Amino acid sequence: MVLPARVKIKGLYGLPKTHTPVTPAVLDTIMEFFQRHRGSVLGLTGAGVSVPSGIPDYRGTNGTYRVHGSYTPILHHELVSQHASRQRYWARSFFGIRPAFKAEPNPIHRAFASLESHKYLSGLITQNVDGLHLQAGSRNVLELHGTLKQVKCLGCGVKESRDEFQQRLEELNPEWTEFGREMARTGAEPRRRPDGDVDLPSNLQYSSFSYPKCHHCRTGDYMPTVVFFGGSVPDQVREQSYRMVDDASALLVCGTSLATFSAYRLVKRAREQGKQVVILNFGQTRGDSDATMKLETTAEDVLPPVAAQLAEAP
């Protein structure tokens, strides 16, 4: 079955020509930022934070979404309305979700958790759906775009763990399950994509993949509890993100180009309130003109040493 043509999601921002050297003076500047706003710095993170954990992001060497060739993320309206799109999504996720769940927090995640536990960070808003901030020990975390850890029925709204759903997928698709075991035995793992997706081998067809109906209402189809491209952040999540910005005195943005408006509007809101906005990201972002400080570097180079020094400070 041929899937309908997809909207092409184009990247907006490129990589810089220069890199900010992470000198002791730079680390001191970020330390002073946390000390000046101690207890009221709000973190905002994106896919770049989880790349060191082995989770791919959407951007390529030119900073565009076209990092994965012809690949484009599935869109919300396709998933909720098209059987073929659900087959495509669940078939690819069938192989991709296990490696995604095996990912471990990296030094950036642990640095954020340390900054919170030592009362420098008021909370964290993440666009990531991998749960690694929580796994690292951060507590006040708002998952802006949801989590891959659960699925929900499009009909009745009941939720189920992704692990349980995976077991039902395996029972419905024994040939796919065996093929997955064979790939694991031979080391022929498919190429991983962002958000628990993979490239399927050419000899596998989406049309042969089965997915279960809701175990509660018996008629509804499932989707992950994440916000897909073209979808909307739930009202209560959006309002909570606003409250977190309003209650903070400064915003630290890490590992995101802020291409999605759901994230960029938080930067815009902070600046409209006259708050300091610091961006740590190697590459242009939608919020560069709103930042009071922008460092062309990765959070991995800055946050772990800063968090370690602040943890020892009085």
Side-chain angles (χ1 to χ4, degrees):
M1 183 178 294
V2 178
L3 293 177
R6 270 185 199 84
V7 175
K8 297 299 182 183
I9 302 174
K10 297 180 180 179
L12 302 175
Y13 311 105
L15 296 180
K17 296 181 179 179
T18 60
H19 185 281
T20 303
V22 181
T23 63
V26 168
L27 298 180
D28 286 344
T29 298
I30 300 301
M31 285 181 61
E32 291 168 2
F33 165 75
F34 278 109
Q35 290 167 333
R36 183 167 58 254
H37 298 283
R38 185 165 189 172
S40 62
V41 176
L42 176 65
L44 174 61
T45 67
V49 164
S50 290
V51 168
S53 293
I55 297 177
D57 63 3
Y58 289 103
R59 297 178 67 184
T61 55
N62 294 319
T64 71
Y65 283 118
R66 310 305 299 172
V67 58
H68 302 292
S70 62
Y71 170 81
T72 54
I74 198 166
L75 303 179
H76 175 82
H77 76 273
E78 296 175 336
L79 191 68
V80 301
S81 65
Q82 300 171 5
H83 168 65
S85 292
R86 287 190 291 273
Q87 283 184 304
R88 170 186 179 263
Y89 176 80
W90 289 123
R92 297 170 72 103
S93 176
F94 181 79
F95 294 121
I97 201 66
R98 294 299 190 196
F101 283 173
K102 289 179 181 178
E104 297 287 339
N106 65 58
I108 309 173
H109 298 111
R110 291 191 288 271
F112 272 112
S114 176
L115 289 165
E116 182 185 16
S117 67
H118 288 92
K119 311 300 182 185
Y120 288 98
L121 201 71
S122 62
L124 187 61
I125 299 174
T126 184
Q127 300 169 77
N128 300 338
V129 296
D130 51 43
L132 292 180
H133 279 299
L134 290 167
Q135 192 174 332
S138 291
R139 295 182 178 276
N140 186 24
V141 179
L142 177 64
E143 294 176 309
L144 188 66
H145 296 156
T147 175
L148 283 173
K149 302 290 186 181
Q150 291 182 316
V151 297
K152 67 178 178 181
C153 174
L154 291 167
C156 68
V158 71
K159 293 181 180 179
E160 179 179 345
S161 79
R162 183 63 178 81
D163 276 336
E164 293 176 354
F165 188 73
Q166 182 74 10
Q167 292 173 12
R168 295 210 281 153
L169 289 176
E170 291 174 355
E171 291 170 0
L172 284 173
N173 299 277
E175 292 183 1
W176 288 66
T177 301
E178 180 54 36
F179 187 80
R181 291 172 182 158
E182 181 62 24
M183 285 195 298
R185 283 193 294 268
T186 61
E189 297 287 343
R191 184 181 180 186
R192 293 175 61 188
R193 302 297 195 183
D195 299 341
D197 197 358
V198 298
D199 268 342
L200 284 185
S202 59
N203 59 324
L204 290 179
Q205 300 298 319
Y206 304 137
S207 58
S208 68
F209 193 83
S210 299
Y211 56 86
K213 293 290 186 180
C214 174
H215 68 279
H216 180 71
C217 69
R218 307 294 180 184
T219 59
D221 293 308
Y222 284 99
M223 72 173 289
T225 53
V226 301
V227 178
F228 283 78
F229 284 94
S232 299
V233 172
D235 291 346
Q236 65 271 24
V237 175
R238 183 184 67 249
E239 293 305 317
Q240 184 178 347
S241 71
Y242 289 167
R243 288 193 298 271
M244 293 176 76
V245 171
D246 295 347
D247 292 342
S249 66
L251 186 64
L252 176 69
V253 181
C254 296
T256 173
S257 64
L258 298 169
T260 60
F261 186 69
S262 57
Y264 171 64
R265 66 186 171 196
L266 302 179
V267 172
K268 187 177 179 182
R269 187 181 185 93
R271 286 303 297 142
E272 288 173 347
Q273 295 174 0
K275 296 174 179 178
Q276 188 171 5
V277 175
V278 173
I279 298 179
L280 301 180
N281 191 69
F282 185 59
Q284 297 172 5
T285 83
R286 193 175 187 174
D288 282 359
S289 62
D290 299 290
T292 50
M293 183 193 307
K294 167 71 184 298
L295 298 181
E296 293 288 354
T297 188
T298 66
E300 188 176 20
D301 293 332
V302 175
L303 281 192
V306 166
Q309 292 186 59
L310 289 175
E312 298 176 356

